[in-house]
Amino acid sequence: MGENEIWDGTFRQDGRTCDQTRAIKIQRGFTNAAGSVLISSGNTVALCTASVVEETPSWMKREGETVRGWLTAEYRMLPGSTKIRKPRQDRPDGRATEIQRLVGRSLRAVFDAEALGPRTVYLDCDVLQADGGTRTLCISGAFVALVDAINSIRASLPDPARYPLRDSVSAVSVGIVQGTTMLDLCYVEDFAAEVDMNVVMTGSGRFVEIQGTGEESTFDEEQLGSLLALAKRGNAHIAKLQREALGGAWPFAE
Amino acid sequence: MGENEIWDGTFRQDGRTCDQTRAIKIQRGFTNAAGSVLISSGNTVALCTASVVEETPSWMKREGETVRGWLTAEYRMLPGSTKIRKPRQDRPDGRATEIQRLVGRSLRAVFDAEALGPRTVYLDCDVLQADGGTRTLCISGAFVALVDAINSIRASLPDPARYPLRDSVSAVSVGIVQGTTMLDLCYVEDFAAEVDMNVVMTGSGRFVEIQGTGEESTFDEEQLGSLLALAKRGNAHIAKLQREALGGAWPFAE
Amino acid sequence: MGENEIWDGTFRQDGRTCDQTRAIKIQRGFTNAAGSVLISSGNTVALCTASVVEETPSWMKREGETVRGWLTAEYRMLPGSTKIRKPRQDRPDGRATEIQRLVGRSLRAVFDAEALGPRTVYLDCDVLQADGGTRTLCISGAFVALVDAINSIRASLPDPARYPLRDSVSAVSVGIVQGTTMLDLCYVEDFAAEVDMNVVMTGSGRFVEIQGTGEESTFDEEQLGSLLALAKRGNAHIAKLQREALGGAWPFAE
Amino acid sequence: MGENEIWDGTFRQDGRTCDQTRAIKIQRGFTNAAGSVLISSGNTVALCTASVVEETPSWMKREGETVRGWLTAEYRMLPGSTKIRKPRQDRPDGRATEIQRLVGRSLRAVFDAEALGPRTVYLDCDVLQADGGTRTLCISGAFVALVDAINSIRASLPDPARYPLRDSVSAVSVGIVQGTTMLDLCYVEDFAAEVDMNVVMTGSGRFVEIQGTGEESTFDEEQLGSLLALAKRGNAHIAKLQREALGGAWPFAE
Amino acid sequence: MGENEIWDGTFRQDGRTCDQTRAIKIQRGFTNAAGSVLISSGNTVALCTASVVEETPSWMKREGETVRGWLTAEYRMLPGSTKIRKPRQDRPDGRATEIQRLVGRSLRAVFDAEALGPRTVYLDCDVLQADGGTRTLCISGAFVALVDAINSIRASLPDPARYPLRDSVSAVSVGIVQGTTMLDLCYVEDFAAEVDMNVVMTGSGRFVEIQGTGEESTFDEEQLGSLLALAKRGNAHIAKLQREALGGAWPFAE
Amino acid sequence: MGENEIWDGTFRQDGRTCDQTRAIKIQRGFTNAAGSVLISSGNTVALCTASVVEETPSWMKREGETVRGWLTAEYRMLPGSTKIRKPRQDRPDGRATEIQRLVGRSLRAVFDAEALGPRTVYLDCDVLQADGGTRTLCISGAFVALVDAINSIRASLPDPARYPLRDSVSAVSVGIVQGTTMLDLCYVEDFAAEVDMNVVMTGSGRFVEIQGTGEESTFDEEQLGSLLALAKRGNAHIAKLQREALGGAWPFAE
């Protein structure tokens, strides 16, 4: 896709071309949790912590599961994360429920439950500042926190030679705004989008989850193709940043 | 995809080939609600009712919206719908929340909120018997109930010449089971699937929503292509059945 | 009571005489639950399913009960069951709580908890269409579903010679409308009634439960007598229909 | 009923004959609420307060009701009211829901909503000590508190000549214990009863509500007759005590 | 503090001087609970019951605690306890939560958990009439109920020679109203107070808890000194009344 | 207090003397909320945001209040803030309720509700890392965030010459650990403390709130004196840091 033929640099408010993500920063060890990552993409900022609890969920115990572990995620937005304060809710609302299920599923796709042993990793994604793309940013940040958390218990894994993750995972949003395909939508772009798609991929370029939806609109196969191409580009970029951030903690062979 | 080269008719428990849906039945007017559709695909049975309430949601009123209407959906499984009784839950659980948001979004993609006027259509999808594919079946059934409900108030629409729906909507599940791409998965197939995808489309063949997820697995672009091809075939079949069921109530030009 | 001396056939909107029930239909096996009965009386329609769970409630276990089983009921109205959509509620509201307790008590009156063995039967009564008399109709339908559910586990009962039910149970509403005693009130009649009474009886003609209430009104002993006489007539009719519906599944000796 | 032929005075633990209530005490003005009655029958003790709120429920306002008032009741047992402490519950449980609906209905049967004017009377029944018969005792106590509360606003009633109550209301329990019909059952009697019936009546001897239920048992017409006869006797006694307690506050003509 | 230099006896509505409490009455054995105390200070009236449950909380069991017991408190206001009816709340509101935690902490300060053995004492404080100072009155009443409850199980304590309480506990409110320091504030005084302080003390004159707060105001060290002096005086008075009320049940040596 | 006579620098795990706070850092503008302060004391870290909502609470509107504004606080601990993950709770638990009420009261003590105008300031205190003293740290941080938030709407205050705060507010914990009085307790110290006291003060040295509690223990007047002396020292230090952090934004005259 040759978007620089179509757009000049001023099209997006922050001067990006359509195939660029915002500036993404990944800070490990933000707090003392086993994994604690402050991740930002432009003005969207999330704290992703990974905590290991030496217990499996009650439904696993009821099923007599004693070997495998579990991985689950929770997602919330802090009240001060939005311009207009977002009231706290007793329980995750519909949107938060949907997102935290997505985060959990995405990481479980590369997760080896037996290699973890009978314990649970909680991925807590708390959005500190929201400007679009919070769910995909949380997936990308949660992966890094998850690696740090697993590394912190590496000595006590059932089989030291079997790492509980098979691949890295990242996610990015793509969308069609006024007919143009764009990568990593900020809030105003997302709000204006006709089609919004979140694409979760592995470091090796396979799809984990695709959620594309016409926002009071529909889309055809060609548009789908453009969106997926852009998402692959974005995810490759993020995967590279995850690897750089993890440095020597990177758990996979070259 | 030439699945009959690969499979003999006995592969799927009910003798279907991989590109066939189960037998789908649509019964309109099951109860007295404005729209009331009993829809089944094999052993999956849902009652989809559409009710018109002459009021808009409180958040619309707060925003000063006086012209547009709203369309929303709720989804539940009756306790007796599963072999092992499913306890009622105080609120929709995470899965039901996700599904009812999907049903609502899918129908709103073809919905003209201004043409409805300041009222709300509720789509209530209650699964009476569950054997896989309940969410997609509910979307297909809800569309038919929605048409009946809108037709029941046609005389009081703001502009009789402007129908509140732009197109029909149907949905079907596809998946990869033991490496094979299949249409309209029943429960045992769904449970065994590596990849599960729900595809919502319009009668004119455009995508409304794609939700594909690797179930503790991932998938590549070629597999995605096969899945989408099969989903288009399934949706075309269901769209035809919807049209037949609605008969003279079909609201769109030929 | 000689109501045809007082009323002409046109008095009740559907042409019934005062001592007639509406047309009652009982359809067994509506879904795959152990017992699944679609029952209707005129425009009131309910789905009564009976599910057997091989576990007793936690309060029974706490009390060290290991021999007896339990039978409980839940009652809800689907949102589309009423002309004006009835919003779903997080928990059963006061009325639903009252009704589901009545349904459970009524069936437990003929229930032999020891003969069932340490398991639970859930009777789920979901009203699909409401036009008065839903609680009594659910009792009558639940009995039939209960028989089917028990028969489905007959081989695993503690003592094959000891059937877990002692008698059949049915229920009907009676009331006084504008001074006239009537059987099986539909919604408009119920709404207009000065006195409303639900009478649950066994197939052998004994009372299980009587709930009579003056609706912002009171009643005397003579009126009570007329109401009970009519209720006996109605219940005898329903008991006969239950027996016909069950056919060879009828568990009691002639 | 000649129960003294059957029983000697020692049959009931407290030496009563079968047609006697326990000692009933009614203390008005226990606290400063508009109506505040401490009522006891033997070891069952309840505080019934009646509060007038100058507002009608939101559902009445929505219906445009501006003339009529409302009367509602709430029922709870204090944790220390039972030998084994009864944990507080977030919401009224099924039993409390059923009871508070009964209390409200019972008083509304003699209530003139228009004569009260657009305000609400709340009847709060809190059981301080429970030994059977709490629901009927609360009805009898709530009536006295209600009169005091209404009298406290008598000057501001829409029409001073139209009193908002048409009659007095009392209630008593009757039951069949080991084949014997008894009045005003205490807890151990209630627990052992085959049939339990709560009968609410007016001071002039008309029925307000009859709730009779076989406790895992059934009953016939003759037993019903005996129970009602005893209930009439008990209610006449309580009505007399209510009148004595109210003295000059008694609102009805001789 | 020389408040009679400043105030004449008519300053406070009920004729008290600033260093007097209201008339305090303590009635033991109000109901049949193990401890049941009706306590009042002027128009503030509370029922404090103490119940012993032969079980420890689940969190203690999880921690493997098998020797120590637990003591906890609950606080509520009955709806009729205030002039304007106080609606019941599903759960304790913020204020009630704060109060019941204070009551529990206060009694636990003199509580010997090991001497009680592995059981739980519940202190239920239900305000029947509220006129200021409910939380401190409940602490003073709960102590008396607690002694009665412990005495009722004295024979089954692990070590008869080791009483589970080390000292008595009482509480009183003090405040600064229009610049004047006052003891045991009634509602109108509390409402007008610039500074409000609740002081919990032992019978031997040590502090258990001090909660002083400027109500949209602040205070200095000298004012703090005056408040504490008055609180000591009030608590000494209440401790004497507690001892008189308990008489021979008083558990401590002279 | 001459604690260096008693303690050598190694007594406290972090080498502090008993009258030292931990290292306190205040970072303004951490996110884009009107006020957004990341504050830490040693390993305790909280994000305090202040958001202005142009609306007053519903209870203020009901009371017809149109001139004054409101200030309220919410407190939560993120799941990853503690070594052992702290599960999210539907609602603030008892401890969080108590804390958020304290934070709100503390800031309201210096708050001029009329000077703010009819709007609400929300102070959201989310603990990112917990090592003792979270509630006092949140008060100190919330004050700084509150100033930034008020300054952001300074142009629209009812009277530009009347600042909505009268003084600064800070808070610090003090306690007695193994007989020694200490300032700013970290978690292990707090856990071991016999007496724990939170002291909220103004910048000018007046008390806002004192909450001292014997943890299963009691304390005397001399100990109270030592604790308050230390708290004054700590609060003076924090007040100085708040002023430095605010720099030119400091709203009060020298």
Side-chain angles (χ1 to χ4, degrees):
Chain A
M1 192 195 142
E3 64 280 276
N4 35 10
E5 292 171 58
I6 308 169
W7 305 105
D8 64 291
T10 59
F11 175 79
R12 302 183 86 172
Q13 295 192 346
D14 51 9
R16 287 187 280 158
T17 56
C18 285
D19 61 352
Q20 283 184 317
T21 67
R22 290 170 284 183
I24 293 173
K25 289 181 205 152
I26 303 176
Q27 179 182 349
R28 288 164 62 210
F30 186 68
T31 58
N32 287 340
S36 175
V37 169
L38 189 76
I39 188 166
S40 59
S41 180
N43 280 325
T44 294
V45 185
L47 174 58
C48 303
T49 60
S51 306
V52 183
V53 174
E54 291 295 330
E55 215 178 8
T56 50
S58 50
W59 61 263
M60 280 187 109
K61 288 185 209 149
R62 269 199 305 276
E63 291 176 7
E65 180 61 71
T66 59
V67 174
R68 294 157 60 93
W70 185 242
L71 183 161
T72 187
E74 297 190 359
Y75 169 97
R76 290 291 192 293
M77 291 172 73
L78 292 199
S81 66
T82 50
K83 279 243 170 76
I84 294 169
R85 182 182 182 269
K86 186 177 171 63
R88 285 178 212 270
Q89 279 160 313
D90 281 3
R91 313 200 185 181
D93 58 16
R95 179 183 165 277
T97 300
E98 202 172 88
I99 292 176
Q100 66 189 16
R101 285 168 57 89
L102 170 64
V103 176
R105 268 198 319 269
S106 294
L107 276 303
R108 282 196 297 273
V110 297
F111 172 63
D112 181 341
E114 228 168 84
L116 183 72
R119 44 172 69 102
T120 305
V121 182
Y122 286 88
L123 300 169
D124 286 292
C125 302
D126 287 89
V127 176
L128 305 189
Q129 193 167 283
D131 186 29
T134 64
R135 80 185 69 188
T136 48
L137 191 70
C138 285
I139 292 169
S140 301
F143 170 74
V144 178
L146 175 56
V147 169
D148 276 332
I150 289 174
N151 289 352
S152 77
I153 55 159
R154 202 152 185 176
S156 69
L157 291 176
D159 175 357
R162 187 172 165 191
Y163 197 76
L165 297 174
R166 288 183 291 263
D167 204 340
S168 72
V169 166
S170 69
V172 76
S173 75
V174 287
I176 303 178
V177 186
Q178 292 170 19
T180 305
T181 310
M182 287 184 187
L183 180 61
D184 189 20
L185 280 58
C186 66
Y187 181 75
V188 291
E189 291 165 350
D190 184 75
F191 190 82
E194 295 100 55
V195 179
D196 177 29
M197 183 170 281
N198 295 296
V199 181
V200 188
M201 296 181 74
T202 63
S204 59
R206 291 177 64 85
F207 293 112
V208 170
E209 179 129 359
I210 298 173
Q211 289 199 345
T213 182
E215 303 279 345
E216 309 187 12
S217 175
T218 58
F219 56 103
D220 63 23
E221 220 151 356
E222 195 189 319
Q223 290 170 312
L224 174 60
S226 301
L227 289 164
L228 292 174
L230 209 49
K232 286 166 75 172
R233 184 169 171 163
N235 273 313
H237 174 58
I238 298 168
K240 193 165 148 283
L241 295 175
Q242 289 174 320
R243 183 160 196 170
E244 288 169 12
L246 281 164
W250 182 256
F252 308 113
E254 294 305 306
Chain B
M1 192 196 141
E3 66 279 85
N4 33 11
E5 293 170 58
I6 307 171
W7 305 105
D8 63 290
T10 60
F11 175 79
R12 303 183 85 173
Q13 296 191 346
D14 51 8
R16 288 186 279 159
T17 56
C18 287
D19 62 350
Q20 282 184 316
T21 68
R22 290 170 284 184
I24 293 173
K25 289 182 205 150
I26 303 175
Q27 180 182 347
R28 289 164 61 209
F30 186 69
T31 59
N32 288 341
S36 175
V37 169
L38 190 75
I39 188 167
S40 59
S41 179
N43 281 324
T44 295
V45 185
L47 175 58
C48 304
T49 59
S51 306
V52 183
V53 174
E54 292 295 329
E55 214 176 10
T56 51
S58 50
W59 60 262
M60 279 187 108
K61 287 184 208 147
R62 269 199 305 277
E63 291 175 5
E65 180 61 72
T66 58
V67 174
R68 293 158 61 94
W70 185 242
L71 182 161
T72 188
E74 297 190 0
Y75 169 97
R76 290 291 192 292
M77 290 171 73
L78 291 199
S81 65
T82 51
K83 278 241 168 76
I84 295 170
R85 181 181 181 269
K86 188 178 170 63
R88 286 178 209 270
Q89 280 160 312
D90 282 2
R91 313 201 185 180
D93 58 16
R95 179 183 164 276
T97 300
E98 205 173 85
I99 292 177
Q100 67 189 15
R101 285 167 56 89
L102 169 64
V103 177
R105 268 199 319 270
S106 295
L107 276 304
R108 281 196 298 274
V110 296
F111 173 62
D112 181 342
E114 228 168 84
L116 184 72
R119 45 172 69 102
T120 305
V121 182
Y122 286 86
L123 300 170
D124 286 291
C125 301
D126 286 89
V127 176
L128 305 190
Q129 193 167 284
D131 187 29
T134 63
R135 80 186 68 188
T136 48
L137 191 70
C138 285
I139 292 169
S140 300
F143 170 74
V144 179
L146 175 58
V147 169
D148 276 332
I150 290 174
N151 289 351
S152 77
I153 55 159
R154 201 152 185 177
S156 68
L157 291 176
D159 175 356
R162 186 174 167 191
Y163 196 75
L165 297 174
R166 288 183 292 262
D167 204 339
S168 72
V169 167
S170 69
V172 79
S173 76
V174 286
I176 303 178
V177 185
Q178 293 170 18
T180 305
T181 309
M182 287 184 187
L183 180 63
D184 189 20
L185 279 60
C186 67
Y187 180 76
V188 291
E189 292 165 347
D190 185 75
F191 190 82
E194 295 100 56
V195 179
D196 178 29
M197 183 170 280
N198 295 296
V199 181
V200 188
M201 295 181 73
T202 63
S204 58
R206 291 176 66 85
F207 294 112
V208 169
E209 179 128 359
I210 297 173
Q211 289 200 344
T213 182
E215 303 278 343
E216 309 188 9
S217 175
T218 58
F219 56 102
D220 64 23
E221 219 152 356
E222 197 190 316
Q223 289 171 311
L224 174 61
S226 301
L227 289 164
L228 292 175
L230 209 49
K232 286 166 75 171
R233 185 168 169 165
N235 273 312
H237 174 58
I238 297 168
K240 194 167 147 279
L241 295 175
Q242 289 175 319
R243 183 161 196 169
E244 287 169 11
L246 281 164
W250 183 257
F252 309 112
E254 294 304 308
Chain C
M1 190 196 144
E3 64 281 88
N4 35 11
E5 294 171 57
I6 307 171
W7 304 106
D8 63 292
T10 59
F11 175 79
R12 301 183 88 172
Q13 296 191 348
D14 50 8
R16 288 187 279 157
T17 56
C18 286
D19 62 351
Q20 283 183 316
T21 68
R22 291 170 282 183
I24 293 173
K25 288 182 206 153
I26 302 176
Q27 179 181 348
R28 288 163 62 212
F30 186 69
T31 58
N32 287 341
S36 174
V37 169
L38 190 76
I39 189 167
S40 59
S41 180
N43 280 324
T44 294
V45 185
L47 175 59
C48 304
T49 60
S51 306
V52 183
V53 173
E54 291 296 330
E55 216 178 9
T56 50
S58 48
W59 61 263
M60 281 187 110
K61 287 184 209 150
R62 270 198 305 276
E63 292 175 5
E65 180 60 71
T66 59
V67 173
R68 293 158 59 91
W70 185 242
L71 182 159
T72 188
E74 297 190 1
Y75 169 97
R76 290 291 191 293
M77 291 173 72
L78 292 199
S81 65
T82 49
K83 279 243 169 76
I84 294 170
R85 183 182 180 270
K86 187 177 171 65
R88 286 179 210 269
Q89 280 161 314
D90 281 1
R91 312 199 185 183
D93 57 16
R95 179 183 165 277
T97 300
E98 205 173 86
I99 292 176
Q100 66 189 16
R101 284 168 58 89
L102 170 63
V103 177
R105 269 199 319 271
S106 295
L107 277 303
R108 282 196 298 272
V110 296
F111 172 63
D112 181 341
E114 229 168 83
L116 184 72
R119 43 171 70 100
T120 305
V121 182
Y122 287 88
L123 300 170
D124 287 291
C125 303
D126 287 88
V127 176
L128 305 190
Q129 195 168 282
D131 186 30
T134 63
R135 80 184 70 189
T136 48
L137 190 69
C138 285
I139 292 170
S140 301
F143 170 73
V144 178
L146 176 56
V147 169
D148 276 333
I150 289 174
N151 289 353
S152 78
I153 56 159
R154 203 153 185 177
S156 68
L157 291 176
D159 175 356
R162 186 172 166 191
Y163 196 76
L165 297 174
R166 287 183 292 263
D167 204 340
S168 72
V169 166
S170 68
V172 77
S173 76
V174 286
I176 303 178
V177 185
Q178 293 171 18
T180 304
T181 310
M182 287 184 186
L183 180 62
D184 188 21
L185 281 59
C186 68
Y187 180 76
V188 291
E189 291 166 349
D190 184 76
F191 190 82
E194 296 100 57
V195 179
D196 178 29
M197 183 170 282
N198 295 297
V199 181
V200 188
M201 295 182 75
T202 63
S204 59
R206 291 177 65 84
F207 293 112
V208 170
E209 178 130 358
I210 298 174
Q211 289 200 344
T213 182
E215 303 279 343
E216 309 188 8
S217 174
T218 58
F219 56 103
D220 64 23
E221 220 152 355
E222 196 189 317
Q223 290 172 310
L224 175 60
S226 302
L227 289 165
L228 292 174
L230 208 49
K232 284 167 75 172
R233 183 169 173 162
N235 273 313
H237 173 57
I238 297 168
K240 192 164 149 284
L241 295 176
Q242 288 174 320
R243 183 161 196 168
E244 288 169 11
L246 281 164
W250 182 256
F252 309 114
E254 292 305 306
Chain D
M1 193 195 140
E3 66 280 89
N4 35 10
E5 292 171 58
I6 306 171
W7 303 106
D8 64 291
T10 60
F11 174 78
R12 302 183 86 171
Q13 296 191 345
D14 50 9
R16 288 186 279 157
T17 55
C18 286
D19 62 351
Q20 283 183 316
T21 68
R22 292 170 283 183
I24 293 173
K25 290 183 205 149
I26 302 176
Q27 179 182 346
R28 289 164 60 211
F30 186 70
T31 58
N32 287 340
S36 175
V37 169
L38 190 76
I39 188 166
S40 60
S41 179
N43 280 323
T44 294
V45 185
L47 175 58
C48 303
T49 60
S51 306
V52 183
V53 174
E54 292 295 331
E55 214 177 10
T56 49
S58 50
W59 61 262
M60 280 187 108
K61 287 184 209 149
R62 269 199 306 275
E63 291 176 6
E65 180 60 71
T66 58
V67 173
R68 293 158 61 91
W70 184 242
L71 182 160
T72 187
E74 296 190 2
Y75 169 97
R76 290 291 191 293
M77 291 172 73
L78 291 199
S81 65
T82 50
K83 279 242 170 77
I84 294 170
R85 180 180 183 271
K86 188 177 169 63
R88 286 178 209 271
Q89 279 161 312
D90 282 1
R91 313 200 187 181
D93 57 17
R95 179 184 164 276
T97 300
E98 204 172 87
I99 292 177
Q100 66 189 17
R101 285 168 56 89
L102 170 64
V103 177
R105 269 200 317 271
S106 295
L107 276 304
R108 282 196 298 272
V110 296
F111 173 62
D112 181 343
E114 227 169 83
L116 183 73
R119 45 172 70 101
T120 304
V121 182
Y122 286 87
L123 301 170
D124 286 291
C125 302
D126 287 88
V127 176
L128 305 190
Q129 195 167 282
D131 186 29
T134 63
R135 80 185 68 188
T136 48
L137 191 70
C138 285
I139 292 169
S140 300
F143 170 74
V144 179
L146 176 56
V147 169
D148 276 333
I150 289 174
N151 289 352
S152 77
I153 55 159
R154 202 152 184 177
S156 70
L157 291 176
D159 175 357
R162 185 172 167 190
Y163 196 76
L165 297 174
R166 288 183 292 261
D167 204 340
S168 73
V169 166
S170 69
V172 77
S173 76
V174 286
I176 304 178
V177 184
Q178 292 171 18
T180 306
T181 310
M182 289 185 186
L183 180 62
D184 189 20
L185 281 59
C186 68
Y187 181 75
V188 290
E189 292 165 349
D190 185 75
F191 190 81
E194 296 99 56
V195 179
D196 178 29
M197 184 171 280
N198 296 297
V199 181
V200 188
M201 296 182 72
T202 62
S204 58
R206 291 176 64 85
F207 293 113
V208 170
E209 178 128 358
I210 297 173
Q211 288 200 345
T213 180
E215 301 279 342
E216 308 187 10
S217 176
T218 58
F219 55 103
D220 64 22
E221 219 152 357
E222 196 190 317
Q223 290 171 310
L224 175 60
S226 302
L227 289 165
L228 292 175
L230 208 49
K232 284 166 76 172
R233 184 169 171 163
N235 273 313
H237 174 58
I238 297 169
K240 193 166 147 282
L241 295 176
Q242 289 174 320
R243 183 161 196 169
E244 287 169 12
L246 281 164
W250 182 256
F252 309 114
E254 295 303 307
Chain E
M1 193 200 140
E3 66 279 86
N4 35 10
E5 294 171 57
I6 308 171
W7 304 107
D8 63 292
T10 59
F11 174 78
R12 301 182 87 172
Q13 295 192 347
D14 50 8
R16 288 186 279 159
T17 56
C18 286
D19 61 351
Q20 283 183 316
T21 67
R22 290 170 284 183
I24 294 173
K25 289 183 204 149
I26 303 176
Q27 180 183 347
R28 287 164 62 212
F30 187 68
T31 58
N32 287 340
S36 175
V37 170
L38 190 75
I39 188 167
S40 60
S41 180
N43 281 324
T44 294
V45 185
L47 175 58
C48 303
T49 60
S51 306
V52 183
V53 174
E54 292 295 330
E55 214 178 10
T56 49
S58 50
W59 61 262
M60 279 187 110
K61 287 183 209 150
R62 268 198 305 275
E63 291 175 5
E65 180 61 71
T66 58
V67 174
R68 295 157 59 92
W70 185 241
L71 183 160
T72 188
E74 297 191 0
Y75 169 97
R76 290 292 192 290
M77 292 172 72
L78 292 199
S81 66
T82 49
K83 280 243 170 74
I84 295 170
R85 181 182 182 271
K86 187 177 171 63
R88 286 179 210 270
Q89 279 160 314
D90 281 2
R91 314 201 184 181
D93 58 16
R95 178 183 164 278
T97 300
E98 204 172 87
I99 292 176
Q100 66 189 17
R101 284 167 60 88
L102 170 63
V103 176
R105 267 199 320 270
S106 295
L107 277 303
R108 281 196 299 271
V110 297
F111 172 63
D112 181 342
E114 229 168 83
L116 183 72
R119 45 172 69 99
T120 305
V121 183
Y122 286 88
L123 300 170
D124 286 291
C125 303
D126 287 88
V127 176
L128 305 189
Q129 194 167 283
D131 186 29
T134 63
R135 80 184 71 188
T136 49
L137 190 70
C138 285
I139 292 169
S140 300
F143 171 73
V144 179
L146 176 56
V147 170
D148 276 333
I150 289 174
N151 289 352
S152 77
I153 55 159
R154 202 153 185 177
S156 69
L157 291 176
D159 175 357
R162 186 172 167 191
Y163 196 76
L165 297 174
R166 287 182 293 260
D167 203 340
S168 73
V169 166
S170 69
V172 77
S173 75
V174 286
I176 303 177
V177 185
Q178 292 171 19
T180 305
T181 310
M182 288 184 186
L183 180 63
D184 189 21
L185 281 59
C186 67
Y187 181 75
V188 291
E189 292 165 349
D190 185 76
F191 190 82
E194 296 99 57
V195 179
D196 177 29
M197 183 170 282
N198 296 296
V199 181
V200 188
M201 296 181 75
T202 63
S204 59
R206 290 176 65 85
F207 293 113
V208 170
E209 179 128 359
I210 297 172
Q211 288 200 345
T213 182
E215 302 281 342
E216 308 188 11
S217 175
T218 58
F219 55 104
D220 64 23
E221 220 151 354
E222 197 190 316
Q223 290 170 312
L224 174 60
S226 302
L227 289 165
L228 291 175
L230 208 49
K232 284 166 76 172
R233 183 170 173 163
N235 273 314
H237 174 58
I238 297 168
K240 193 165 147 283
L241 296 175
Q242 288 174 320
R243 184 161 194 167
E244 288 169 11
L246 281 165
W250 183 257
F252 308 113
E254 294 304 305
Chain F
M1 194 195 141
E3 66 281 86
N4 33 10
E5 292 171 58
I6 307 169
W7 305 106
D8 63 291
T10 60
F11 174 79
R12 302 184 85 173
Q13 296 191 344
D14 51 7
R16 287 186 280 156
T17 57
C18 286
D19 62 350
Q20 283 183 318
T21 67
R22 291 169 283 184
I24 293 173
K25 289 182 205 150
I26 303 175
Q27 179 181 348
R28 289 164 60 210
F30 186 70
T31 58
N32 288 342
S36 175
V37 170
L38 190 76
I39 188 167
S40 60
S41 179
N43 280 324
T44 295
V45 185
L47 174 59
C48 303
T49 59
S51 305
V52 183
V53 174
E54 292 295 331
E55 214 177 9
T56 50
S58 49
W59 60 263
M60 281 187 106
K61 287 184 209 148
R62 271 199 305 276
E63 291 176 7
E65 180 61 71
T66 58
V67 173
R68 293 158 61 92
W70 184 242
L71 182 160
T72 188
E74 298 190 0
Y75 170 97
R76 290 292 191 291
M77 290 172 73
L78 291 200
S81 65
T82 50
K83 278 243 169 76
I84 294 170
R85 182 182 181 270
K86 188 178 169 63
R88 285 178 210 270
Q89 280 161 310
D90 282 1
R91 313 200 186 181
D93 57 16
R95 179 183 164 277
T97 300
E98 203 172 88
I99 293 176
Q100 67 190 15
R101 285 168 58 89
L102 170 64
V103 176
R105 269 199 318 271
S106 295
L107 276 303
R108 282 196 297 271
V110 296
F111 173 63
D112 181 342
E114 226 168 86
L116 183 73
R119 44 171 71 100
T120 305
V121 182
Y122 286 88
L123 300 169
D124 287 290
C125 302
D126 287 89
V127 176
L128 305 190
Q129 194 167 283
D131 186 30
T134 63
R135 80 185 70 187
T136 47
L137 190 70
C138 285
I139 291 170
S140 300
F143 170 74
V144 179
L146 175 57
V147 169
D148 276 333
I150 289 174
N151 289 352
S152 78
I153 55 159
R154 201 153 186 176
S156 68
L157 292 176
D159 175 356
R162 186 173 167 191
Y163 196 75
L165 298 174
R166 286 183 292 262
D167 204 339
S168 72
V169 166
S170 69
V172 78
S173 75
V174 286
I176 303 179
V177 185
Q178 292 171 19
T180 305
T181 310
M182 287 184 188
L183 180 62
D184 189 20
L185 281 59
C186 67
Y187 180 76
V188 291
E189 292 165 348
D190 184 75
F191 190 81
E194 296 98 56
V195 179
D196 179 28
M197 184 171 279
N198 295 296
V199 181
V200 188
M201 296 182 74
T202 63
S204 58
R206 291 176 64 84
F207 294 112
V208 170
E209 178 128 359
I210 297 173
Q211 289 200 344
T213 181
E215 302 280 343
E216 309 188 10
S217 175
T218 59
F219 56 102
D220 64 23
E221 217 151 357
E222 197 189 317
Q223 290 171 313
L224 174 60
S226 301
L227 289 165
L228 292 175
L230 209 49
K232 285 166 75 172
R233 185 168 170 165
N235 273 313
H237 175 58
I238 297 169
K240 194 167 148 282
L241 295 176
Q242 288 174 321
R243 182 157 195 171
E244 287 169 12
L246 281 165
W250 183 257
F252 309 114
E254 295 303 308

